[in-house]
Amino acid sequence: MSCGTFSGEDKTVSATVSVAFARGFRHIKSYRGPHHPLGMTEFARRVEQVSISGIREVFDAAGEDAINLGIGQPDFPTPAHARRGAIEAIESGQSDAYTSNKGTRSLREAIAAKYDRTYGLEVDPEDIIATSGGSEALHLVLQAHVDPGEEVIFPDPGFVSYDALTTIANGTPKPVGLREDLTLDPAAVEDAITDDTAVFVVNSPANPTGAVQSEEDMREFARIADEHDVLCVSDEVYEHIVFDGEHHPPLEFAESDNVVTVSACSKTYSMTGWRLGWVVGANPRIERMLRVHQYGQACASAPAQYAAEAALTGPQDPVDEMVAAFEDRRDVVLDGLEDAGLEVPKPEGAFYVMPKVPEGWCEEVLERDVVVVPGDAFGANGEGYARLSYATGMEELKDALEIIDAATQAVR
């Protein structure tokens, strides 16, 4: 069973991403209201098939004083040197004008240097586009590579944007279930590939699971992309938030140009509001994605680009400190959930944990003013799970765990 329907603050909200509204208005032709005396035209079907994320629905159902374990945003400040990079650019007038569509040369050089420094990968700055967050980067990839009806394979449970962006690109979503440890099995991806497959998505460290793919898995994903001539999109937005093992990008192992990498400053540098990400790929792919970016965005925000450059080239101590704090919180949350009697696959990265939960658990926890996200908001295979974020203070986490323990006993 799913976690069900929430009731709180006189609001009732579905635990899953509802498409009822979209279905109800798909064929609208004659809506008449105070601002539309002559009605309105139909909406695009691909947009009608997409609705607001189930994560946002849960937030709307929560009380004002609830402890929020649903938000995917670090609670640390943006590093001071990154802020200064933006301030100096603004005060000097550098950020007043459009940048290159791909982003400033100096930012793209900083991104390329990061791949060399971290993974020993040589990336040409011309093979990078600075984007408005990792979300726009994903949008560019799918718009440039997916024709109507073509399949996009992605993990289930997985990040909510994969399904929605596939639909917006007029593609066919093809979710694939995970292993017991919540990692994506390369064999399952390979089995799912058909003549209609355009793209498969790998996300490590993963949202919503916190799982980190092994080096062997990443080698296999690169091989699959090479041998099947299918694009592998590696979503690496959490790449530096790893507690156990190491992150290995498929780009390390690819022998063809069939791997595209998406990342961002959002999580690593606690810069979610700055909206600065990037996409890395072979130049022919980058040039096609640039066509989408140019007409949809022109360029990423100039102040954010200068902040990102400063973040990438400046001291990395704030990142290390943040990751260490997340690891401490992870351990406390794991202990608390296990003490409550829940089965919890151990997350090795990001700042999420995804325990298996009994029926009614999500409703009970939310009614006690702790925000969690039902697992089926991330796909059908998330049913029976819940996602908790520990990107919040330790004291709040401890208070939430006490409430969760009581809620768990109440539904058993």
Side-chain angles (χ1 to χ4, degrees), residues 1-3 15-17 153-160 163 173-185 188-189 192 208-209 345 354-357 373-387:
M1 298 292 290
S2 72
C3 286
T16 59
V17 180
I153 296 168
F154 52 83
D156 178 4
F159 182 42
V160 293
D163 189 303
K174 195 166 186 180
V176 170
L178 306 179
R179 298 167 170 142
E180 280 296 310
D181 66 356
L182 301 184
T183 57
L184 181 63
D185 187 349
V189 170
T209 65
M354 208 166 186
K356 292 183 178 180
V357 298
V373 183
D376 55 4
F378 303 96
N381 289 320
E383 186 173 349
Y385 291 85
R387 189 195 77 172

Side-chain angles (χ1 to χ4, degrees), residues 228-278:
H228 292 269
D229 198 25
V230 171
L231 183 66
C232 170
V233 177
S234 183
D235 180 351
E236 302 179 12
V237 168
Y238 296 88
E239 62 181 308
H240 294 291
I241 306 176
V242 179
F243 316 128
D244 305 309
E246 295 181 18
H247 169 67
H248 291 275
L251 198 59
E252 278 189 53
F253 312 114
E255 296 181 2
S256 69
D257 291 333
N258 287 346
V259 173
V260 165
T261 302
V262 167
S263 195
C265 288
S266 300
K267 314 298 181 176
T268 300
Y269 298 103
S270 194
M271 292 176 65
T272 53
W274 293 85
R275 308 312 304 133
L276 198 290
W278 58 83

Side-chain angles (χ1 to χ4, degrees), residues 146-154 163 166-167 169-175 196 199:
V146 179
D147 274 327
E150 287 190 324
E151 298 168 346
V152 177
I153 296 168
F154 52 83
D163 189 303
T166 298
T167 301
N170 232 353
T172 301
K174 195 166 186 180
D196 294 323
V199 173

Side-chain angles (χ1 to χ4, degrees), residues 307-322:
E309 180 184 341
L312 288 161
T313 59
Q316 301 301 297
D317 296 350
V319 178
D320 297 335
E321 292 166 5
M322 185 172 67

Side-chain angles (χ1 to χ4, degrees), residues 210-223:
V212 175
Q213 300 288 155
S214 68
E215 179 179 355
E216 180 181 357
D217 284 348
M218 292 304 211
R219 286 183 183 276
E220 278 294 285
F221 290 131
R223 177 194 63 77

